[in-house]
Structures are given as structure tokens and as C-alpha cells.
Amino acid sequence: MNIHEFQAKQVLARFGAPVPKGQVASTPHEAAAAFTTLGQPKAVVKAQIHAGGRGKAGGVKLVSSADEAREFAAKILGKPLITHQTGPQGRVVRRVYVEQASQIARELYLGMVVDRKAATVSIIVSSEGGMEIEEVAAKTPEKVISEPIDPLVGLASFQARKAAFALGLKDKQVNQFVALATSLYKAFWATDASLIEINPLVVTADGHVICLDAKMSFDDNGLFRHPEIRELRDPNEEDPAEIEASKYDLNYVHLDGTIGCMVNGAGLAMATMDIVKQAGAEPANFLDVGGGANAEKVAAAFRILLSDERVKAVLINIFGGIMRCDVLAEGVVEAARQVQLKLPLVVRMEGTNVDRGKQILKDSGIKVITANDMADAARRVVEAIGGRGANR
Ligand code: ADP
Ligand code: MG
């Protein structure tokens, strides 16, 4: 789960990290009031969306009066902001963050991520702040320094100092950086984060090291331990189908193709996507209904699949081990009736109670194309949408 910049800054501040003062606003009027409350000669108004690149896209503006803050908020609120991370449709700005402006002497990069290669959390720093870190890493890998953190010891101060020296920090700034990195790591660990990114981390004109931008992501599997973090979820930033799927404990990922796939088991789901592609079409989603799905869950999965307007045909590929084929068939029949299914439906199932399952489908009167094996199922579903390469 991702959260907004202003929320990440609130979380990090709770752990002692230095962040500029700011106030969130959802109307131009509130933005003007926030400027006045801050009481600073200058402030920055920042679009709050779950994407970076806002600065370059015109989503961040330096303002010197409440009127200016109101004007800029009025210009961007309620409209999509398109950055290189949002895709061409952009993301609608529903809130802005009005923050005290900092005088920037240097822009640096500081990140912490679950580093799968090192099997630890790693701290990553670069002197090239304010730029895409992926780009810096690709072009000048020597400018990105990464250090694995021992989970039992935590961030050792010598590691933090090493990072500070790599950033060219001196004197008091080294100590400030060590304290900042230590509080970030504490926040990371305590909240089951998967990523903290401070880009830029800045040295201000008066020599302070502060977090000017903040991005935080959390491990969904740890969210049940952090109700205060879970509350920060912004459904506007998420795919409604994926939210609906999470209510039923379904693993659903929306993709761009036209074949809706309902499968049990992540491995089989991946294989199904592969074989659909090989047969000449594109999967519309990844959907794993899990091992012990009941009819209600299957029906929910089916509805979610069909809520995608791009879906032109549905492929159900189930191996009934723990999941019984008759339960699956009941769920499919129930859902097909609910949604008055008009799209072609190809079913391939195998395993426990398969005959009873097939009988249920047959007796239902729903038009089902049955397939003998996976390759056959993929071929038939592609045929149903008009053949290889159709509806791309
Ligand atoms: P994004 O990464 O989405 O572009 P940032 O928060 O990094 O958004 O802001 C982009 C740029 O705007 C920063 O690199 C910095 O130069 C400037 N900026 C952001 N916040 C402030 C601030 N509080 N004071 C002064 N400049 C800021
Ligand atoms: Mg940034």
C-alpha cells in the first residue's frame, strides 16, 4: 500500500525525522488559509497524488501570498496531473500540501528498501538528488551507494556515517544525517514498510539536513498490525476492481488485454497467462481465487472480471485439489446469472468432483465452451474473440 507525501511526512515526523511544516488542503480556500497559518514569507503548494515527477509536471509551485496559494490550488485541484509515473490519463489531484518553503543548497537522495538480493533492508544514498534514481543508477552506477542493514543490529552509526561521507556531508550535517537516517530506519521497521524514499533530501542554505519529499510504501501483509497506517489508504488512488478483490481475499491484478482469466493457484495463473499469449491474445488480468474458494468467492471473482469493459471472453482454468469442481461450477452459475453473462465462457477444469461440476454447468443452461486441457482452452477462448491478434 502507498500513501501520500503529506501522510508519509507525518509518519516520519512521529519517529523524529526533520520535515518542513505544512498543512493539507482540499479546497483553494483551505490552501489560502494554510498559507496564512504557516505564517512564512514563502510556501510551496504541492499536488498530492500517488506518483512522483510532480515538480517537472507543474504540480509543485512556490508561492508568496495566500492569494497565490489559492490561485494555484484552484488551477490544479479536481484535475488530472500527468507525470511520467502516472500514465497518459494522469491522476486527479484531490488535495494539495501547503508547506513552508526551504532554501535549498544541495539536493541529495536517501532511500530504504527491502533488498531482495541482500535479504535485508538496505540504505541507498546518492549525491544526485531530485532526479529519477533508476536513471542515475543506469547511467552512473558509481553514484548510487547501497549498504545492507543487519536486521538484528539495526542501522549501525558507522554505516550511517559512511553514507553521510559518501554524500559529501561535513561537520554537524553528518550528525544530523545520522539522526535522520536512524529515525527513518526506526519508522521503516516499526511500520512494516517496504520502501521509504526521500528524494530530495536537502541541505538547506542555513546548513540543515531535512526531508523535502517523502514516499512510503507498506507491506500489505503487515497492515493488520498497523490500523493507524491502514487508515491512510486512499481508495481514489487504487483500482476499484483491486479494492473489491481485496475484500474477498482474491489476488487480482488488472492488465490490459481482453481475456478475463479466473484461475486457482498463482503458478497456474501465470501459466494460463502464458498460454493465452501463446495462443495469440492478451490476458486482461491475473486472478488467483486461492485454494479453498467457496461459491460466493468465485461469484465475486467472476463479477470483478466482468466489470472490466475490455474483457471480451472469459477463461476459467481450475485444478480442483482443495477446491472442488462442483463448488466452482455453482459459483460460476450463480455469478453468470447475476450479471446476465453474454460473453463467451470457456471452462477447463480438472480434479475433485469434476464430473459433478461439469454436470452443474450443463444443467444450468448457460452457454459454456468446455475444453479438454489448457492448450485447448486457450485456443478456444482466442477463437471466441475472433482469432489470433483480434481485439488487441
Ligand atoms: P516530485 O518528486 O513529485 O517532483 P518533490 O517533492 O520532490 O516532488 O518536489 C519537486 C521539487 O520541488 C524538489 O526537487 C524541490 O526542488 C522543490 N520543492 C519541493 N518542496 C519544496 C519546499 N518545501 N521548499 C522548496 N522547494 C521545494
Ligand atoms: Mg521527489
Side-chain angles (χ1 to χ4, degrees):
M1 183 185 98
N2 296 324
I3 60 176
H4 288 289
E5 174 199 3
F6 76 94
Q7 297 168 325
K9 282 177 169 166
Q10 282 163 3
V11 172
L12 295 177
R14 276 214 303 277
F15 288 87
V19 299
K21 261 199 232 121
Q23 215 171 309
V24 70
S26 40
T27 65
H29 177 74
E30 281 176 21
F35 182 93
T36 310
T37 311
L38 280 177
Q40 302 281 331
K42 282 185 195 310
V44 176
V45 181
K46 308 177 79 173
Q48 297 298 293
I49 53 172
H50 284 190
R54 295 163 302 164
K56 275 190 197 133
V60 176
K61 190 168 196 272
L62 186 70
V63 297
S64 356
S65 70
D67 278 343
E68 254 187 89
R70 179 189 298 114
E71 244 169 64
F72 182 64
K75 192 175 142 200
I76 60 171
L77 278 168
K79 293 182 201 92
L81 179 68
I82 303 163
T83 82
H84 69 274
Q85 287 186 3
T86 59
Q89 75 288 355
R91 284 190 174 278
V92 175
V93 181
R94 291 185 164 84
R95 279 176 290 191
V96 294
Y97 194 44
V98 184
E99 181 179 76
Q100 151 188 18
S102 295
Q103 291 229 3
I104 303 168
R106 294 183 64 205
E107 296 203 347
L108 310 168
Y109 176 93
L110 168 60
M112 287 183 189
V113 287
V114 174
D115 181 341
R116 291 174 204 286
K117 235 190 239 163
T120 62
V121 175
S122 285
I123 176 172
I124 300 166
V125 294
S126 172
S127 54
E128 306 299 298
M131 321 218 303
E132 277 285 289
I133 195 67
E134 290 81 2
E135 210 178 306
V136 178
K139 286 191 186 142
T140 46
E142 71 282 1
K143 289 189 175 158
V144 179
I145 289 123
S146 165
E147 176 90 10
I149 302 170
D150 186 317
L152 296 179
V153 178
L155 179 66
S157 51
F158 80 87
Q159 292 182 302
R161 278 201 301 279
K162 195 165 134 189
F165 295 139
L167 292 173
L169 297 174
K170 298 215 171 61
D171 309 324
K172 273 194 211 146
Q173 289 162 12
V174 173
N175 295 341
Q176 285 182 28
F177 177 86
V178 172
L180 186 151
T182 305
S183 48
L184 250 53
Y185 184 71
K186 265 195 209 141
F188 192 106
W189 198 256
T191 60
D192 289 314
S194 55
L195 169 96
I196 296 181
E197 195 172 54
I198 309 300
N199 189 19
L201 173 82
V202 302
V203 183
T204 61
D206 53 1
H208 291 288
V209 183
I210 61 169
C211 307
L212 211 65
D213 190 7
K215 174 177 177 179
M216 272 188 103
S217 309
F218 303 90
D219 182 343
D220 288 358
N221 296 308
L223 281 177
F224 76 99
R225 308 205 293 185
H226 310 289
E228 77 291 354
I229 301 285
R230 198 160 50 179
E231 256 174 38
L232 304 178
R233 171 163 253 154
D234 183 350
N236 288 319
E237 293 284 342
E238 294 177 25
D239 185 333
E242 289 181 16
I243 296 174
E244 185 66 13
S246 72
K247 284 187 202 153
Y248 291 92
D249 221 8
L250 298 161
N251 292 309
Y252 172 87
V253 180
H254 184 227
L255 303 168
D256 290 331
T258 53
I259 308 292
C261 303
M262 184 157 98
V263 190
N264 66 334
L268 190 58
M270 297 298 282
T272 305
M273 289 161 60
D274 279 349
I275 208 160
V276 164
K277 274 176 173 275
Q278 197 181 32
E282 295 290 323
N285 66 286
F286 168 97
L287 173 60
D288 170 12
V289 294
N294 54 21
E296 189 203 354
K297 201 164 158 180
V298 170
F302 208 66
R303 277 199 311 274
I304 289 164
L305 275 189
L306 295 174
S307 68
D308 179 358
E309 281 167 9
R310 294 192 52 155
V311 168
K312 299 284 184 289
V314 177
L315 169 58
I316 297 182
N317 185 13
I318 298 284
F319 182 79
I322 300 172
M323 168 121 164
R324 300 185 340 238
C325 294
D326 54 328
V327 172
L328 167 85
E330 277 166 16
V332 170
V333 169
E334 189 185 314
R337 289 210 177 111
Q338 273 172 18
V339 300
Q340 300 177 351
L341 179 73
K342 292 187 190 73
L343 301 177
L345 171 64
V346 177
V347 179
R348 177 262 174 173
M349 54 187 179
E350 206 56 76
T352 312
N353 295 353
V354 64
D355 292 334
R356 212 182 305 162
K358 282 184 175 159
Q359 195 60 44
I360 291 170
L361 288 178
K362 209 167 154 195
D363 295 346
S364 72
I366 297 168
K367 241 174 95 186
V368 177
I369 305 166
T370 46
N372 302 319
D373 55 39
M374 275 176 68
D376 185 38
R379 198 175 46 75
R380 284 175 190 267
V381 79
V382 174
E383 227 170 64
I385 61 163
R388 182 173 277 275
N391 285 313
R392 276 265 167 88

